[in-house]
Amino acid sequence: MTDFEPTLGVGEVREYLSRNNWNRAAAGDVAELWNHSEYPGFRMIVPLIESAPDFGKRLGLLTAELANLEDRPKDDITFDVATMFFDVINAEAKHSWLIRDSIPVDAGQRLFSAAYKLMEAAAGATIRRQGHFGHQMPTRARDHTKHRLRLGHTRRGSYILPILSLASPALPVVVEDEPTLDMAVEFSLFDRRVVATLSDALNALTAMVVNSPVEPTESEILDSIQAGVSYEFCQAIENVTAISTVESFDVAMKWAPSTAPPANAIDVVAFPREASPIINRIADRLRDAPEIREDVIYGIVKKLERSDDSTELGTGRAGVETIIDRKRHIIWMDLDESAHRVAVQCYEEGKRVRIRGVLAGRKGRYTMQPISFVADPAYLF
């Protein structure tokens, strides 16, 4: 069992109950009692000893009681409890009569492939914004998709493929004499940042091919790279929408209840078959466009300097602590007025930042001229 595989344990049960307005009424060494204002006189027994031989049986009774109280299938309750600390990306290939509990083999194969390629493209864009990755997909993006994500069971009555991604909470920055990053914590935040990038990219692509009455301009297509859209991202979606056995490819997000959703988080997007030619043309344009590449770093504002001359374009400097090649580095950068205000606010409030630009240097000496400097949208706590 790994820390990024859903489990049904005491922590998940407590999180589910507390977020559904249950209150702990009594606690002992082996069990707790929880009550709810809507069920007077009823007490939910929560077992605490996960190593006990009957722990699984008692949790089964607990989920059965919840299913009865909430009038929902027990399997749905079990899934919701087990994924309290996970973002769930539901990828669905739809057809009005061809796809119900089963799916044509071709459509199913493409759905699984799309799920993999979408997540890999989102992971790549979380590290580096690039219109076409080709053979330059970051190794970390490939490893993340292979080893950090899980697939759940398809849902009855449809063909929905749940992709499970751990959503670790952004623990406060370590503060001693001054704030500093904990590398183990920062590595754990990559999972949620990938899903936040996926959300941004889906939103940007939907705006171009579904919500707009006209085809996107070249400028709009190239601007979408900033949101995480890439040739690979578009191809993953178009590969599903292009076949006759699929009427729509939908992606619905179930954000982990344990962690606040990212900024501008989507709930659901749908790409109808009719959008397939436009998506394909966008993909071709991203593939053939001049190379556009911007690095993305995450970190904390460690130091601030203000320019004495307010008429200068760069009104201040910031030293941002980040992690590159598994080592901490402080990168100094010149900021304009708007970025400097963000840096000051994040410094004062202890928020992490996300910076997009071109990273230069090597052997521990790096510089960056930011194109975008914002509070980390994946963790606006």
Side-chain angles (χ1 to χ4, degrees):
M1 188 73 67
T2 63
D3 63 349
F4 44 89
E5 182 176 357
T7 58
L8 199 63
V10 174
E12 287 77 12
V13 171
R14 284 172 170 165
E15 189 75 16
Y16 182 88
L17 293 177
S18 63
R19 291 188 177 274
N20 285 276
N21 300 316
W22 289 81
N23 297 294
R24 184 162 45 192
D29 294 333
V30 298
E32 295 174 345
L33 295 178
W34 291 64
N35 57 25
H36 196 292
S37 60
E38 293 185 11
Y39 316 117
F42 181 83
R43 297 291 184 271
M44 183 70 72
I45 301 175
V46 178
L48 299 181
I49 304 177
E50 296 187 2
S51 60
D54 62 345
F55 181 76
K57 179 180 179 180
R58 292 186 178 278
L59 279 190
L61 294 173
L62 183 150
T63 53
E65 289 177 331
L66 286 172
N68 182 56
L69 292 170
E70 297 183 20
D71 193 23
R72 293 203 294 144
K74 181 182 175 183
D75 286 348
D76 289 357
I77 296 288
T78 301
F79 181 83
D80 287 348
V81 175
T83 56
M84 287 302 296
F85 301 103
F86 285 78
D87 292 325
V88 182
I89 304 102
N90 290 305
E92 180 177 12
K94 280 187 174 180
H95 193 285
S96 54
W97 56 272
L98 271 177
I99 301 176
R100 297 286 177 82
D101 285 326
S102 63
I103 191 171
V105 171
D106 183 35
Q109 185 274 330
R110 294 195 184 202
L111 178 63
F112 276 80
S113 177
Y116 187 95
K117 291 178 179 178
L118 267 183
M119 298 309 300
E120 184 177 73
T126 304
I127 299 168
R128 187 169 67 235
R129 299 294 200 255
Q130 194 163 327
H132 178 211
F133 286 97
H135 297 298
Q136 298 177 338
M137 182 65 71
T139 300
R140 186 180 183 187
R142 297 186 187 278
D143 290 344
H144 172 82
T145 311
K146 289 179 182 178
H147 305 302
R148 293 286 297 180
L149 301 175
R150 311 287 297 185
L151 289 179
H153 291 290
T154 57
R155 302 296 184 87
R156 178 174 296 180
S158 64
Y159 209 88
I160 299 175
L161 184 63
I163 307 163
L164 313 179
S165 177
L166 187 65
S168 300
L171 300 177
V173 173
V174 176
V175 177
E176 294 174 352
D177 295 331
E178 59 181 12
T180 190
L181 293 179
D182 182 301
M183 285 198 286
V185 171
E186 297 307 307
F187 288 141
S188 73
L189 304 185
F190 187 72
D191 303 281
R192 163 52 75 86
R193 286 169 176 155
V194 169
V195 183
T197 302
L198 173 71
S199 175
D200 288 344
L202 288 170
N203 197 28
L205 189 60
T206 301
M208 289 192 292
V209 305
V210 178
N211 298 341
S212 176
V214 297
E215 287 205 22
T217 64
E218 179 168 338
S219 176
E220 289 171 333
I221 292 173
L222 297 180
D223 285 347
S224 72
I225 297 172
Q226 300 173 10
V229 178
S230 64
Y231 167 81
E232 288 78 7
F233 190 86
C234 294
Q235 281 288 288
I237 296 173
E238 196 271 338
N239 195 39
V240 178
T241 58
I243 57 177
S244 60
T245 51
V246 173
E247 293 176 339
S248 175
F249 175 60
D250 296 7
V251 181
M253 314 293 281
K254 177 179 175 289
W255 299 100
S258 60
T259 305
N264 304 314
I266 64 165
D267 293 321
V268 61
V269 295
F271 298 96
R273 185 193 303 157
E274 294 75 23
S276 184
I278 305 176
I279 297 174
N280 190 49
R281 286 193 286 274
I282 292 173
D284 288 344
R285 185 67 192 92
L286 291 171
R287 179 195 59 201
D288 299 334
E291 182 174 337
I292 298 175
R293 169 177 169 171
E294 296 170 357
D295 299 296
V296 183
I297 65 171
Y298 303 84
I300 58 171
V301 179
K302 190 92 166 180
K303 300 177 184 297
L304 285 166
E305 292 180 359
R306 183 73 179 185
S307 171
D308 293 332
D309 185 356
S310 61
T311 64
E312 292 183 3
L313 178 60
T315 60
R317 301 180 73 223
V320 176
E321 185 177 54
T322 188
I323 296 174
I324 301 175
D325 295 333
R326 297 184 176 272
K327 294 181 180 179
R328 294 190 191 93
H329 298 276
I330 294 181
I331 301 177
W332 282 94
M333 54 195 73
D334 295 322
L335 304 178
D336 61 20
E337 181 65 33
S338 175
H340 194 269
R341 283 198 300 267
V342 173
V344 171
Q345 181 180 0
C346 291
Y347 178 81
E348 292 176 345
E349 298 178 4
K351 291 182 177 179
R352 292 167 172 84
V353 295
R354 184 190 72 188
I355 307 150
R356 183 165 46 81
V358 179
L359 185 66
R362 59 192 180 89
K363 294 184 178 180
R365 293 182 174 271
Y366 296 98
T367 60
M368 190 176 210
Q369 186 57 46
I371 297 170
S372 170
F373 191 109
V374 298
D376 184 356
Y379 288 101
L380 292 178
F381 57 91

